[in-house]
Amino acid sequence: MTTEEVSQYLRIDEQTVRDLLRARKLPGRKVGRSWRVLRSELDAWLRQPEPAGDEDAAP
């Protein structure tokens, strides 16, 4: 999937997807100048519980 497809799938901004990929918070690979994400890896990531103490989590 491209960053555009991931952003539509997750319903978040495409820039946020790129930021998360760069920070290695989303599974993906850089192919040339573009990011690619396997849907199966993204689905597996979504099924994982959020780590305790995540600074982005709501109080």
Side-chain angles (χ1 to χ4, degrees):
M1 301 173 74
T2 65
T3 55
E4 181 180 1
E5 292 167 332
V6 173
S7 73
Q8 291 171 358
Y9 187 66
L10 296 178
R11 296 182 184 188
I12 60 175
D13 187 69
E14 190 174 352
Q15 183 60 50
T16 302
V17 171
R18 284 192 292 271
D19 292 343
L20 291 170
L21 286 164
R22 272 190 228 105
R24 303 214 182 270
K25 292 186 176 189
L26 279 179
R29 300 230 190 283
K30 195 95 187 252
V31 179
R33 297 182 70 188
S34 302
W35 285 96
R36 293 293 183 266
V37 177
L38 290 174
R39 185 183 303 262
S40 59
E41 288 182 7
L42 185 57
D43 288 339
W45 176 83
L46 285 168
R47 283 191 290 275
Q48 292 178 349
E50 287 191 51
D54 186 358
E55 65 274 1
D56 293 334

